[in-house]
Amino acid sequence: MKNKQNRQKAQSEQIQRRIAVWAAIVAIAFCSLIVVRGILLGNAQKMGNEIAYRYTVEGERSTVAYEALMRVTTQYIDNQLTTSNAPNQWIQAYLETVSNALGENRIDPYAVINGEIVAANPWEGDADFEFAQAEWYQKALEANGEIIYTDGYRDAITGRMVITLAQESAVPGNVVAFDIFPEQLRSELQSNHLPEGSAYFLCDSSGQLLYQETDWQMQREELQEYLNALQLEIQDGNFVRTDAYIHALQHEKWAAYYDIGDNGWISVVVMPYYSLLQGVRTLSWWYFGILLIFFITLIGVSIREKKRNQDYKKTSDTVRVLGNSYYAIYRVDFSNETYDMIKGSEYVRQRLPMQGNYAQLLQIIGEVMTEDAFKEFQASFSIDNIKKLVSQRIRDYGGDFKRLFGTEYRWVNIRLLFDESLHADEAVLCFREVNNEKKLQLKQIQLLQESLKVAKKSEEARNTFFSNMSHDMRTPLNAIIGLSQLMEKHISQPNELRAYLNQMQYSSRQLLELINDILEMSKLENGKMNLENRYFYVKECIQDCSEIFRSQAEQDGKHFISVLDIRTAEVYGDAFRLTQILNNLLSNALKFTTTGDTICIRVKELEHKEYISYQIIVEDTGAGMSEAFLHKIFVPYERETRFGARNISGTGLGMPITKHIISQMNGEIAIESKLGEGTTFTVTLPFKKVDSSEEENKQAEAVSLQEELQAEDFLKGKRILLAEDNAINMEISFELLTMYGAEVVKAWNGREAVEQFACAEDGSFDAILMDMHMPEMDGCEASRKIRSMERKDAKTIPILAVTANAFAEDLAATAAAGMNAHIAKPIDFPLLCKTLKRIIEHIEKTTDV
């Protein structure tokens, strides 16, 4: 009985041991299941977060590239607006190039330039598009030149989902924008690969779905509703735990992982829960295989961990490369007021431990700063200010200062960086040397300041010029108006009328001289002045010019002396420009002298080689010029305003024009003057001698001159259509054309000119004189309508533009409208005859051929 009891006891103990063993095995299996489940979910969370982070990094790399491209585009547009004659055309071409270079439908670049849309891919109705109400435009104006991102939205024109990047240029109100199509993000993110059965979603800062990579058979609206719920869970912190999950697709469990980028975009990766716990289910069904599965799972986890560590090492290497651009990096715990030296300069490492009190770190850094910089540094990077910056969510803060390196001060940039990936009470303080960049920046600022001073000075000179011009132009205009009123009262007194007419002609010439100076200066500034060289008699040219001023000087009671030492009779050069130089110098001498003063012109021939130089000296005993003005006499719009010179009329352009003409003729000009004693101008000009081998050219020019003289008879018998809306100009032109023997048909505006031509027989008009500015229809539009008519003479009849506008842009406009030539007002009728003769003969010759 006792043995039986012992056996039962032993069996019971064995059973108990077996039960204990099996219980231990079950406990081990259960614990293993729990442990393995926790490990799997933890590793899955790390892997999912790492994948989400990698997607975020890839997305930010793409946006960095787009930002760099946008800065280049903005700079290009600013340059075009200051240097190009047609900036919008160049800007549109550049935007098209940007769009084509990145690939079709990659981005859609466009810009707001001076209140107009300029687009690489213009759309219907872009001119009416109210861009000022657009979110991207308003955010760009508020960003102070920084690049902004919009949330995803459906484009009103194309109906496609887009994200807009925008930046305001240096010109206020001008904004450059890129529309990025979210479906193109696939190519940007293709370097990352999701685990099988997983899905990826990219949402903007407002939670709107931008891009998805999933096999889920769901409509976009269903996906958006699902993601809205998911983001609420993320905001509540429900996905901090490794075993958190969500329901989707027939209520299956899915693990979710996410990362938030600097721009607020959220990368979300979801993985099927069953795939993460597949090993655990196997353990629960096969008891005896629990250890094997445990080890297999452990090996799998180790391999996955190794891969994750490899990926982590790549990320760490990348971070280290970025960190190498900084010579010092400190992690600051502003709640405990301590620092952790990640990377320190040699100066700091020799004086401080790797961790310590933050106040001591500031003090040591301040030892190598200038005193003023250190005070500002202490205020900007104190613990209190760091807390304030972090509370305001300012992620990047800093500036530049000078730091002592050995015996030399060099520029350093300091940044305070804050990010959610850090501890809640931590920020990063880093230092980078930027000496070369800062010097370049300071140099550019200095250049800009100097340019601003020059522009301001030029603006002041122009304002003074226009003020003077207003007075100088009103003076002859008032004289003309007043004299015309006097003529009306003395209509029956021929002597008085003749005197008034002479004075009106003088005032008219004075007014024309002012206008010609402005036009001449415009030509010089646009590089349009050309020399027309021909053979002429230099002595006769100078004598003819001098005699005009001699007569005027004698009338004013002044002494005029002319001494010409000229041996060579004929030279090759521009006689008109020589006359223009003498006119400017002698007219100035007359202006700045009074009764009893002396004006003298002396010309001396200096050389007898291939080129003959003439020294021309014009001196007077008049008012003279101040020493200060002598340095500005050749500056456009400047005039002497000292004492008596203040009341002398003129544009301030005569001497700059003279200087430019002399330079064009390879000559030189010098000036001596004293206030109250007089002025002396010395000009040296070279001219080419007449060579016997050039006799044929002289004869050809003589023939050309004869043809010019004969051109005045060319209008006899010609039928001219004259379009002019001003009654006085019409009457003058009509009378003069009639005097030259032409038959004139009047048209009082552009529309009437078109109708007159259309009603006339083919070939009945020999030429059309077309005023540019007329009511109902201007000259350019009338010329285009005539040229477009279906009749033979419409294509060939000479059309001459007659206008007071004689600038380069006016010439281009008339040529574009189909006009043959441009005649400025007041009309030079000999030039008109010559021009018409040349055009008609050319047309007849071309037609014959």
Side-chain angles (χ1 to χ4, degrees):
M1 178 65 71
K2 188 175 179 179
N3 291 334
K4 183 177 179 180
Q5 289 178 344
N6 289 335
R7 285 197 300 271
Q8 290 177 344
K9 184 178 179 181
Q11 290 176 352
S12 176
E13 290 176 352
Q14 186 177 10
I15 292 172
Q16 289 177 355
R17 285 197 297 272
R18 290 176 179 176
I19 292 173
V21 169
W22 282 107
I25 293 174
V26 172
I28 291 172
F30 182 75
C31 291
S32 298
L33 179 64
I34 295 174
V35 171
V36 171
R37 182 178 184 275
I39 292 173
L40 288 175
L41 293 177
N43 287 335
Q45 187 181 54
K46 292 178 181 179
M47 179 183 67
N49 289 337
E50 182 67 18
I51 293 173
Y53 171 74
R54 286 165 58 190
Y55 269 97
T56 300
V57 170
E58 288 294 326
E60 290 178 346
R61 287 176 182 172
S62 300
T63 58
V64 167
Y66 287 130
E67 290 175 3
L69 180 58
M70 174 160 286
R71 291 189 180 95
V72 171
T73 303
T74 303
Q75 184 63 41
Y76 175 85
I77 288 176
D78 287 338
N79 290 340
Q80 286 299 316
L81 288 175
T82 58
T83 61
S84 175
N85 290 329
N88 285 15
Q89 179 180 353
W90 286 102
I91 291 169
Q92 183 176 14
Y94 183 81
L95 294 177
E96 291 174 358
T97 302
V98 170
S99 178
N100 296 334
L102 294 180
E104 186 177 1
N105 290 330
R106 194 66 168 269
I107 67 170
D108 185 12
Y110 51 92
V112 176
I113 305 298
N114 298 327
E116 296 180 2
I117 293 289
V118 178
N121 303 298
W123 63 88
E124 184 176 356
D126 57 354
D128 300 325
F129 176 66
E130 296 183 359
F131 57 84
Q133 306 302 320
E135 179 189 6
W136 55 267
Y137 185 81
Q138 295 176 352
K139 291 180 69 176
L141 296 184
E142 297 170 357
N144 295 324
E146 296 295 327
I147 295 176
I148 60 94
Y149 293 79
T150 67
D151 290 331
Y153 65 93
R154 195 164 298 280
D155 185 66
I157 305 299
T158 63
R160 300 172 65 184
M161 182 66 67
V162 297
I163 307 157
T164 299
L165 280 70
Q167 180 184 26
E168 185 180 23
S169 75
V171 179
N174 286 0
V175 174
V176 180
F178 291 169
D179 281 352
I180 302 175
F181 304 105
E183 62 266 29
Q184 294 299 326
L185 294 175
R186 177 182 298 275
S187 60
E188 303 291 345
L189 306 174
Q190 62 184 1
S191 59
N192 291 323
H193 299 284
L194 290 170
E196 183 179 359
S198 301
Y200 168 71
F201 304 97
L202 177 64
C203 301
D204 61 24
S205 59
S206 66
Q208 186 172 199
L209 176 62
L210 299 178
Y211 166 73
Q212 71 270 4
E213 196 170 323
T214 177
D215 295 328
W216 293 6
Q217 300 301 317
M218 297 174 65
Q219 296 294 327
R220 180 181 178 84
E221 291 74 17
E222 295 177 313
L223 281 175
Q224 185 64 61
E225 186 176 335
Y226 160 75
L227 289 171
N228 291 341
L230 176 60
Q231 291 179 75
L232 289 176
E233 295 286 338
I234 292 174
Q235 292 174 3
D236 293 339
N238 295 336
F239 285 97
V240 176
R241 301 192 343 265
T242 58
D243 60 347
Y245 60 86
I246 58 173
H247 290 285
L249 297 179
Q250 289 80 39
H251 303 287
E252 293 179 1
K253 291 183 179 180
W254 293 78
Y257 311 102
Y258 68 94
D259 186 79
I260 302 175
D262 291 339
N263 56 5
W265 292 2
I266 304 176
S267 295
V268 180
V269 176
V270 294
M271 300 181 184
Y273 215 75
Y274 70 88
S275 67
L276 301 178
L277 300 178
Q278 186 174 0
V280 177
R281 289 201 307 274
T282 302
L283 286 175
S284 64
W285 288 104
W286 289 279
Y287 173 76
F288 293 104
I290 187 170
L291 294 178
L292 179 62
I293 295 174
F294 173 77
F295 285 116
I296 292 174
T297 304
L298 185 60
I299 292 172
V301 170
S302 298
I303 293 173
R304 184 174 295 177
E305 185 71 16
K306 182 179 179 180
K307 185 177 182 302
R308 189 190 68 82
N309 289 336
Q310 289 175 345
D311 293 340
Y312 179 77
K313 184 177 181 301
K314 290 181 181 178
T315 303
S316 299
D317 291 342
T318 302
V319 173
R320 184 168 59 254
V321 169
L322 294 174
N324 287 339
S325 61
Y326 296 92
Y327 69 80
I329 302 174
Y330 305 93
R331 195 158 176 165
V332 181
D333 185 339
F334 49 84
S335 62
N336 296 320
E337 301 187 10
T338 60
Y339 72 87
D340 186 357
M341 189 187 304
I342 308 300
K343 181 181 180 181
S345 65
E346 182 178 358
Y347 183 86
V348 175
R349 290 199 309 270
Q350 292 175 354
R351 290 163 176 76
L352 290 176
M354 297 301 291
Q355 294 88 25
N357 184 271
Y358 180 69
Q360 292 180 344
L361 175 64
L362 291 186
Q363 191 63 37
I364 294 298
I365 293 174
E367 292 177 0
V368 291
M369 287 185 179
T370 61
E371 183 177 352
D372 293 340
F374 180 55
K375 290 180 180 179
E376 187 176 351
F377 172 78
Q378 277 186 314
S380 298
F381 298 97
S382 64
I383 290 296
D384 291 339
N385 198 51
I386 291 176
K387 291 179 179 178
K388 180 181 178 181
L389 294 171
V390 171
S391 66
Q392 295 175 351
R393 314 293 293 176
I394 298 176
R395 302 174 180 274
D396 188 348
Y397 175 82
D400 300 333
F401 68 93
K402 280 190 173 182
R403 180 198 188 276
L404 186 64
F405 289 86
T407 59
E408 177 188 6
Y409 275 99
R410 297 201 294 269
W411 283 100
V412 167
N413 178 260
I414 177 173
R415 312 305 305 172
L416 179 70
L417 307 177
F418 167 75
D419 190 86
E420 286 80 1
S421 60
L422 297 172
H423 191 275
D425 295 331
E426 288 186 343
V428 174
L429 196 66
C430 47
F431 298 79
R432 181 168 66 94
E433 184 182 340
V434 292
N435 197 55
N436 294 334
E437 297 93 322
K438 188 66 176 181
K439 286 182 177 180
L440 180 60
Q441 180 185 4
L442 293 174
K443 184 177 180 180
Q444 291 174 340
I445 292 174
Q446 183 180 3
L447 289 175
L448 288 174
Q449 290 174 341
E450 292 175 354
S451 299
L452 182 60
K453 290 180 181 177
V454 172
K456 186 176 181 181
K457 184 176 181 182
S458 176
E459 182 182 1
E460 291 174 353
R462 287 178 182 270
N463 289 339
T464 302
F465 161 70
F466 284 116
S467 176
N468 293 334
M469 279 299 299
S470 175
H471 171 267
D472 292 344
M473 294 184 76
R474 287 176 182 272
T475 299
L477 280 174
N478 288 337
I480 293 170
I481 294 171
L483 289 167
S484 64
Q485 292 172 348
L486 290 174
M487 288 177 65
E488 186 178 6
K489 294 180 180 180
H490 298 80
I491 196 69
S492 61
Q493 299 173 307
N495 292 332
E496 283 78 0
L497 286 177
R498 186 175 295 105
Y500 295 151
L501 281 172
N502 290 335
Q503 294 176 37
M504 287 181 67
Q505 289 177 356
Y506 175 79
S507 297
S508 299
R509 287 194 298 271
Q510 186 181 17
L511 182 60
L512 182 60
E513 180 184 350
L514 294 173
I515 296 172
N516 285 339
D517 278 350
I518 299 172
L519 297 178
E520 190 72 22
M521 198 63 196
S522 175
K523 291 180 181 178
L524 297 183
E525 292 177 348
N526 290 280
K528 300 294 185 180
M529 196 202 84
N530 296 315
L531 297 177
E532 297 183 4
N533 294 325
R534 62 176 60 189
Y535 297 96
F536 71 98
Y537 294 98
V538 63
K539 187 172 184 178
E540 285 77 357
C541 177
I542 295 174
Q543 284 179 334
D544 292 344
C545 182
S546 301
E547 289 305 313
I548 296 173
F549 291 96
R550 180 190 300 276
S551 175
Q552 185 177 344
E554 291 174 353
Q555 291 178 7
D556 295 340
K558 303 173 184 177
H559 304 290
F560 190 93
I561 301 173
S562 175
V563 180
L564 305 181
D565 180 10
I566 299 175
R567 298 181 296 279
T568 304
E570 193 173 9
V571 295
Y572 184 77
D574 192 329
F576 172 75
R577 295 300 178 184
L578 173 59
T579 303
Q580 194 173 2
I581 293 170
L582 294 174
N583 284 341
N584 281 334
L585 296 179
L586 290 172
S587 64
N588 273 349
L590 284 173
K591 283 181 184 179
F592 292 96
T593 52
T594 59
T595 302
D597 284 333
T598 299
I599 300 165
C600 180
I601 174 171
R602 294 196 300 272
V603 181
K604 183 178 180 181
E605 187 173 319
L606 300 178
E607 299 178 10
H608 292 279
K609 298 179 182 179
E610 180 183 358
Y611 284 89
I612 303 173
S613 293
Y614 292 94
Q615 184 185 69
I616 304 171
I617 300 175
V618 176
E619 57 185 344
D620 64 72
T621 60
M625 288 174 276
S626 63
E627 184 177 353
F629 181 70
L630 279 177
H631 300 289
K632 302 186 293 182
I633 189 170
F634 297 123
V635 178
Y637 315 116
E638 293 286 351
R639 299 200 303 183
E640 174 66 280
T641 57
R642 295 286 298 274
F643 308 113
R646 186 186 309 274
N647 298 319
I648 300 298
S649 63
T651 61
L653 299 176
M655 293 314 299
I657 292 172
T658 301
K659 177 70 163 64
H660 187 86
I661 294 173
I662 293 172
S663 298
Q664 286 285 93
M665 298 175 71
N666 296 319
E668 296 178 353
I669 183 171
I671 179 173
E672 296 178 3
S673 184
K674 288 186 178 180
L675 199 62
E677 297 183 11
T679 302
T680 300
F681 287 96
T682 302
V683 177
T684 304
L685 290 175
F687 292 96
K688 189 176 180 182
K689 293 173 60 177
V690 176
D691 197 320
S692 59
S693 63
E694 297 170 339
E695 200 64 34
E696 293 181 0
N697 292 335
K698 289 175 57 181
Q699 294 176 359
E701 287 192 0
V703 172
S704 176
L705 181 60
Q706 183 64 28
E707 290 177 351
E708 290 181 10
L709 295 175
Q710 295 174 353
E712 296 184 5
D713 296 331
F714 188 75
L715 285 179
K716 290 181 180 180
K718 296 294 188 291
R719 193 163 186 257
I720 307 296
L721 176 58
L722 176 62
E724 172 64 66
D725 65 307
N726 184 277
I728 296 176
N729 290 339
M730 173 69 85
E731 186 65 25
I732 294 172
S733 299
F734 180 86
E735 291 295 333
L736 289 172
L737 286 170
T738 304
M739 287 173 58
Y740 278 92
E743 179 187 349
V744 181
V745 177
K746 297 180 181 180
W748 293 95
N749 55 59
R751 187 178 304 281
E752 188 174 331
V754 173
E755 293 172 354
Q756 291 269 23
F757 182 81
C759 294
E761 295 182 3
D762 195 336
S764 61
F765 285 113
D766 295 291
I768 301 174
L769 301 184
M770 186 76 72
D771 186 33
M772 293 291 288
H773 298 287
M774 294 182 291
E776 296 191 40
M777 184 183 295
D778 63 26
C780 286
E781 185 178 355
S783 298
R784 284 192 290 267
K785 288 187 176 295
I786 289 174
R787 292 298 189 205
S788 65
M789 291 182 182
E790 296 297 330
R791 49 190 284 180
K792 183 179 179 180
D793 61 344
K795 311 299 180 184
T796 60
I797 185 170
I799 303 178
L800 273 67
V802 182
T803 179
N805 296 340
F807 293 98
E809 55 267 27
D810 304 306
L811 297 175
T814 57
M819 299 186 186
N820 300 87
H822 186 284
I823 299 295
K825 292 181 180 179
I827 299 174
D828 183 342
F829 276 88
L831 177 61
L832 172 63
C833 297
K834 178 183 174 182
T835 303
L836 275 177
K837 183 175 184 296
R838 173 178 54 81
I839 294 172
I840 293 176
E841 288 180 348
H842 175 73
I843 293 173
E844 291 175 349
K845 183 178 179 181
T846 306
T847 306
D848 292 341
V849 173

